[in-house]
Amino acid sequence: MADPAYERVLCVKNEVLVYKIPPRPSNRGYRADEWKLESPDWTGRLRVVSKGKELLIKLEDRNSGELFAQCPVDSYPGIAVESVMDSSRYFVIRIKDESGRSAFIGIGFHDRADSFDLNVSIQDHFKWLKQEAEEEKNASTVETGPKLDLGFKEGQTIKLNLGTKKGDGSKLRKPVAGASGFGLLPPPPGGSKLPPPVSGLAVTIPQQPVTFHSSPAQPQAIDLLLDIGSSELVPNAQKPPVTQNPPDLWGDFTSASGSQTASSNNSGGDWVQF
């Protein structure tokens, strides 16, 4: 609810026409054609002001702002503001002074939109009052209603279901003891094991002298590394006896150096000695 000392201006019209009207002839209502519309009795400014729940229509001087008359509106539609029967631009309002005396005067506007704005501003104020009354009624109903006790009783517990299921594999596996920070899994049970290596075995490679064959008519490029240890070039070469200790792989070059002198003497000067 607004502060009663605070004024809210709901509507302002800079030109309003004020007429002295004759008494109502019957209960049928007022008619504006019975007034002297061409010669208004007063012309000034109209303001619709609200103070809390109170609504006032103020007629003020256009230049100085001096109050000419005011109309307290207690309900709408009501006796405080009435529309005439023959026009929508004219109204009959009830003005009151500080002593409480009242009188009825006629007001009107040149433009029909100004009279429409006056109607809307008065209706909006009373709609707001109705809404405030409903909210206060609902608030009082809630306060007087039974209150719910949502506190825990003595010995009462509560169980929370976090939505996890057993056996869904969401649990993390424990790291293997002795693993170096990577969480390696142990070997599967019942797996096959490789036999341990047999100690004391030595691989023997037969030694053969390197023999080179050359053909003066058709010289060919011979890969020396592929001929080392091969027995296909000399079919009648005798294989040395197998020894227990592994031979020196580079010994073929030293053994071949001695025989190369003899072969070079027989084959001529085409070969270079190592």
Side-chain angles (χ1 to χ4, degrees):
M1 184 176 63
D3 189 2
Y6 179 74
E7 285 189 358
R8 288 196 311 154
V9 179
L10 305 181
C11 181
V12 177
K13 297 300 174 182
N14 292 324
E15 187 175 8
V16 60
L17 309 176
V18 179
Y19 302 92
K20 290 181 180 179
I21 60 175
R24 182 183 299 193
S26 62
N27 293 331
R28 62 181 175 88
Y30 295 97
R31 295 182 62 89
D33 57 358
E34 297 176 356
W35 308 344
K36 298 178 180 180
L37 300 179
E38 296 80 7
S39 58
D41 297 303
W42 185 84
T43 304
R45 180 179 65 187
L46 180 143
R47 290 197 308 147
V48 181
V49 180
S50 65
K51 285 185 175 182
K53 294 183 178 182
E54 184 181 4
L55 183 67
L56 298 173
I57 298 177
K58 293 185 177 184
L59 304 177
E60 302 172 342
D61 186 83
R62 189 183 306 173
N63 298 322
S64 64
E66 182 182 359
L67 181 64
F68 173 74
Q70 65 179 8
C71 168
V73 183
D74 50 4
S75 62
Y76 187 79
I79 195 175
V81 180
E82 296 183 53
S83 299
V84 297
M85 299 176 60
D86 55 347
S87 177
S88 60
R89 296 186 291 115
Y90 297 94
F91 303 89
V92 175
I93 63 174
R94 183 185 60 185
I95 59 175
K96 286 185 178 182
D97 58 6
E98 296 179 355
S99 61
R101 294 180 300 176
S102 63
F104 292 92
I105 61 174
I107 62 172
F109 304 96
H110 293 294
D111 193 354
R112 197 179 305 274
D114 294 337
S115 61
F116 177 78
D117 293 341
L118 176 62
N119 273 323
V120 171
S121 61
I122 298 175
Q123 290 175 6
D124 289 345
H125 174 75
F126 285 99
K127 286 180 180 179
W128 174 75
L129 290 181
K130 183 178 180 180
Q131 184 179 359
E132 287 288 319
E134 291 178 357
E135 291 180 357
E136 292 178 358
K137 182 179 179 180
N138 294 335
S140 61
T141 304
V142 172
E143 292 179 356
T144 56
K147 297 182 179 180
L148 298 177
D149 186 9
L150 302 178
F152 286 100
K153 304 299 186 294
E154 184 177 358
Q156 186 178 2
T157 59
I158 185 171
K159 183 179 180 181
L160 298 178
N161 186 9
L162 301 180
T164 58
K165 299 180 180 179
K166 295 182 179 180
D168 57 353
S170 60
K171 296 183 179 179
L172 298 177
R173 297 182 178 179
K174 296 183 179 179
V176 181
S180 58
F182 295 96
L184 299 178
L185 297 176
S192 61
K193 296 182 180 180
L194 296 177
V198 181
S199 60
L201 292 180
V203 179
T204 59
I205 299 177
Q207 296 182 357
Q208 294 184 7
V210 179
T211 307
F212 301 96
H213 298 272
S214 62
S215 176
Q218 297 180 357
Q220 297 180 357
I222 301 175
D223 192 353
L224 299 180
L225 296 180
L226 294 177
D227 293 339
I228 297 175
S230 175
S231 60
E232 296 178 359
L233 297 178
V234 185
N236 298 326
Q238 296 181 359
K239 297 183 180 180
V242 178
T243 58
Q244 296 295 330
N245 297 324
D248 189 1
L249 299 179
W250 297 97
D252 295 342
F253 289 94
T254 57
S255 61
S257 62
S259 60
Q260 186 176 1
T261 305
S263 61
S264 61
N265 294 331
N266 298 329
S267 60
D270 296 336
W271 298 92
V272 180
Q273 297 182 0
F274 289 95

